[in-house]
mmCIF file of all heavy atoms in Angstrom:
data_model
loop_
_atom_site.group_PDB
_atom_site.id
_atom_site.type_symbol
_atom_site.label_atom_id
_atom_site.label_comp_id
_atom_site.label_asym_id
_atom_site.label_seq_id
_atom_site.Cartn_x
_atom_site.Cartn_y
_atom_site.Cartn_z
ATOM 1 N N ILE A 57 4.253 1.478 -10.604
ATOM 2 C CA ILE A 57 3.963 1.524 -9.176
ATOM 3 C C ILE A 57 5.225 1.977 -8.450
ATOM 4 O O ILE A 57 6.307 1.449 -8.670
ATOM 5 C CB ILE A 57 3.515 0.143 -8.673
ATOM 6 C CG1 ILE A 57 2.193 -0.236 -9.337
ATOM 7 C CG2 ILE A 57 3.398 0.133 -7.150
ATOM 8 C CD1 ILE A 57 1.783 -1.679 -9.094
ATOM 9 N N LEU A 58 5.064 2.943 -7.562
ATOM 10 C CA LEU A 58 6.177 3.457 -6.772
ATOM 11 C C LEU A 58 6.179 2.862 -5.358
ATOM 12 O O LEU A 58 7.210 2.428 -4.866
ATOM 13 C CB LEU A 58 6.089 4.986 -6.688
ATOM 14 C CG LEU A 58 7.174 5.685 -5.879
ATOM 15 C CD1 LEU A 58 8.535 5.537 -6.576
ATOM 16 C CD2 LEU A 58 6.824 7.155 -5.687
ATOM 17 N N LEU A 59 5.013 2.862 -4.702
ATOM 18 C CA LEU A 59 4.906 2.462 -3.302
ATOM 19 C C LEU A 59 3.845 1.384 -3.137
ATOM 20 O O LEU A 59 2.844 1.382 -3.869
ATOM 21 C CB LEU A 59 4.510 3.662 -2.433
ATOM 22 C CG LEU A 59 5.335 4.940 -2.580
ATOM 23 C CD1 LEU A 59 4.669 6.097 -1.849
ATOM 24 C CD2 LEU A 59 6.735 4.721 -2.047
ATOM 25 N N ALA A 60 4.038 0.502 -2.163
ATOM 26 C CA ALA A 60 3.040 -0.532 -1.887
ATOM 27 C C ALA A 60 3.145 -0.971 -0.436
ATOM 28 O O ALA A 60 4.234 -0.989 0.139
ATOM 29 C CB ALA A 60 3.244 -1.737 -2.807
ATOM 30 N N HIS A 137 9.781 11.679 -2.580
ATOM 31 C CA HIS A 137 10.358 11.078 -3.787
ATOM 32 C C HIS A 137 10.389 12.096 -4.926
ATOM 33 O O HIS A 137 11.386 12.233 -5.628
ATOM 34 C CB HIS A 137 9.559 9.839 -4.195
ATOM 35 C CG HIS A 137 9.903 9.326 -5.552
ATOM 36 N ND1 HIS A 137 11.042 8.597 -5.797
ATOM 37 C CD2 HIS A 137 9.287 9.482 -6.750
ATOM 38 C CE1 HIS A 137 11.102 8.293 -7.083
ATOM 39 N NE2 HIS A 137 10.047 8.823 -7.684
ATOM 40 N N ARG A 142 14.852 10.724 -0.297
ATOM 41 C CA ARG A 142 14.395 9.400 0.148
ATOM 42 C C ARG A 142 14.860 9.199 1.578
ATOM 43 O O ARG A 142 16.048 9.081 1.839
ATOM 44 C CB ARG A 142 14.908 8.288 -0.751
ATOM 45 C CG ARG A 142 14.258 6.949 -0.382
ATOM 46 C CD ARG A 142 14.587 5.831 -1.320
ATOM 47 N NE ARG A 142 13.856 5.959 -2.558
ATOM 48 C CZ ARG A 142 13.692 4.959 -3.405
ATOM 49 N NH1 ARG A 142 14.209 3.775 -3.160
ATOM 50 N NH2 ARG A 142 13.036 5.123 -4.529
ATOM 51 N N THR A 147 11.942 3.578 3.146
ATOM 52 C CA THR A 147 12.570 2.604 2.260
ATOM 53 C C THR A 147 11.690 1.408 1.987
ATOM 54 O O THR A 147 11.542 0.975 0.835
ATOM 55 C CB THR A 147 13.928 2.149 2.846
ATOM 56 O OG1 THR A 147 14.757 3.310 2.966
ATOM 57 C CG2 THR A 147 14.602 1.147 1.943
ATOM 58 N N ARG A 148 11.087 0.812 3.006
ATOM 59 C CA ARG A 148 10.329 -0.421 2.784
ATOM 60 C C ARG A 148 9.035 -0.204 1.995
ATOM 61 O O ARG A 148 8.420 -1.157 1.544
ATOM 62 C CB ARG A 148 10.064 -1.140 4.099
ATOM 63 C CG ARG A 148 9.225 -0.376 5.046
ATOM 64 C CD ARG A 148 8.783 -1.068 6.311
ATOM 65 N NE ARG A 148 9.631 -2.080 6.852
ATOM 66 C CZ ARG A 148 9.483 -2.599 8.062
ATOM 67 N NH1 ARG A 148 8.509 -2.156 8.839
ATOM 68 N NH2 ARG A 148 10.252 -3.541 8.493
ATOM 69 N N LEU A 149 8.613 1.043 1.792
ATOM 70 C CA LEU A 149 7.404 1.309 1.013
ATOM 71 C C LEU A 149 7.638 1.211 -0.490
ATOM 72 O O LEU A 149 6.706 0.988 -1.247
ATOM 73 C CB LEU A 149 6.866 2.712 1.333
ATOM 74 C CG LEU A 149 6.483 2.997 2.782
ATOM 75 C CD1 LEU A 149 6.030 4.438 2.915
ATOM 76 C CD2 LEU A 149 5.415 2.046 3.259
ATOM 77 N N PHE A 150 8.892 1.409 -0.914
ATOM 78 C CA PHE A 150 9.186 1.450 -2.351
ATOM 79 C C PHE A 150 9.179 0.061 -2.948
ATOM 80 O O PHE A 150 9.752 -0.873 -2.389
ATOM 81 C CB PHE A 150 10.531 2.152 -2.604
ATOM 82 C CG PHE A 150 10.453 3.632 -2.405
ATOM 83 C CD1 PHE A 150 10.675 4.194 -1.157
ATOM 84 C CD2 PHE A 150 10.126 4.462 -3.459
ATOM 85 C CE1 PHE A 150 10.588 5.558 -0.969
ATOM 86 C CE2 PHE A 150 10.036 5.839 -3.281
ATOM 87 C CZ PHE A 150 10.261 6.387 -2.031
ATOM 88 N N VAL A 151 8.530 -0.070 -4.105
ATOM 89 C CA VAL A 151 8.431 -1.364 -4.793
ATOM 90 C C VAL A 151 9.783 -1.748 -5.382
ATOM 91 O O VAL A 151 10.188 -2.891 -5.325
ATOM 92 C CB VAL A 151 7.333 -1.330 -5.873
ATOM 93 C CG1 VAL A 151 7.358 -2.577 -6.720
ATOM 94 C CG2 VAL A 151 5.980 -1.133 -5.217
ATOM 95 N N ALA A 152 10.472 -0.800 -5.987
ATOM 96 C CA ALA A 152 11.768 -1.102 -6.600
ATOM 97 C C ALA A 152 12.871 -0.319 -5.945
ATOM 98 O O ALA A 152 12.690 0.681 -5.353
ATOM 99 C CB ALA A 152 11.736 -0.791 -8.086
#
Side-chain angles (χ1 to χ4, degrees):
I57 295 170
L58 179 67
L59 309 170
H137 168 77
R142 188 173 285 198
T147 300
R148 63 173 29 168
L149 300 178
F150 287 89
V151 172

